[in-house]
Amino acid sequence: MRFRPLLACMTALWLAGCELLPDAPFGGGASRDAAPAIDSVPSVCPGGIPDFADPACLLDDWVAFGLASQRGDRAWRDAILARLEGSASERRLARAVALSWGNERQWDQASELYKADLASAPVALQPLLRYWLNELEGRRSMARRLEETRGELADAEGRHAALEEEKAALAEKLEALTAIEQSINLRQQTD
């Protein structure tokens, strides 16, 4: 019972995030007025082709590269892939990110690269890469199902065409038999 107020305060802080925490906890540190504005702090993350070198920029660089890969056209992708030669796992994973937004053949290559090098990525980056791999596998699965459906549709259309031909042949035979029957009936009537 005596822990309820403490639990309520902890829950409120957790739900509110950092908004309710003082800038200088426990009375020490610089005042709020002395702190630089967030907009005035220059970005230390270089962007461009991501690597594993700077843990502080790891996620920012990889997310930015992933978004650029998604938005990039074929010419952009070709230029980036030419710059991503090499066998280092960070290069191979960056190649996987770029390839995962290419054509379906490139999706297969991207999947192989992700699966081969995902474990060598920093632990902080692995969930993002795993998410991208899962999303890619989902697209590959949908593409396979679409291709299977198209194949089934083509088979059904082929069966339908064969049945139409068979129906036309049977209709022709029926007309011939009807003509023979009419001929026989006319002969019987004249005899």
Side-chain angles (χ1 to χ4, degrees):
M1 284 291 220
R2 64 184 187 179
F3 291 110
R4 275 194 179 163
L6 179 62
L7 182 61
C9 287
M10 289 175 58
T11 303
L13 282 173
W14 179 72
L15 290 174
C18 297
E19 298 294 322
L20 296 178
L21 295 176
D23 287 341
F26 310 112
S31 72
R32 184 178 191 107
D33 296 334
I38 291 176
D39 294 338
S40 67
V41 176
S43 175
V44 294
C45 298
I49 295 179
D51 56 29
F52 300 156
D54 187 3
C57 294
L58 191 66
L59 287 175
D60 290 340
D61 284 351
W62 282 88
V63 167
F65 185 72
L67 290 172
S69 296
Q70 185 177 5
R71 294 177 186 141
D73 59 5
R74 183 178 178 174
W76 179 90
R77 193 168 295 103
D78 291 342
I80 287 294
L81 291 172
R83 292 174 53 196
L84 288 172
E85 293 301 321
S87 60
S89 46
E90 61 191 17
R91 292 288 185 166
R92 291 170 47 89
L93 285 168
R95 211 167 31 245
V97 172
L99 288 169
S100 65
W101 294 103
N103 59 42
E104 290 181 28
R105 183 181 51 79
Q106 290 175 326
W107 293 357
D108 296 337
Q109 293 171 350
S111 177
E112 291 172 16
L113 289 169
Y114 272 127
K115 290 174 184 175
D117 292 304
L118 187 103
S120 65
V123 174
L125 186 60
Q126 287 183 9
L128 177 65
L129 295 174
R130 194 169 293 112
Y131 172 79
W132 285 343
L133 171 61
N134 290 340
E135 192 276 333
L136 174 63
E137 292 300 331
R139 280 188 281 139
R140 289 178 69 208
S141 175
M142 284 191 297
R144 278 192 300 272
R145 283 191 304 237
L146 180 61
E147 194 59 38
E148 288 170 3
T149 302
R150 285 180 181 156
E152 291 169 2
L153 183 59
D155 290 345
E157 287 173 351
R159 286 192 303 271
H160 179 74
L163 287 172
E164 286 292 329
E165 288 176 16
E166 186 179 342
K167 177 183 165 188
L170 288 173
E172 221 174 274
K173 287 180 184 178
L174 183 61
E175 283 182 35
L177 288 173
T178 302
I180 292 171
E181 183 182 6
Q182 287 175 348
S183 174
I184 291 173
N185 285 342
L186 281 176
R187 283 189 198 160
Q188 286 177 353
Q189 287 176 0
T190 56
D191 287 337

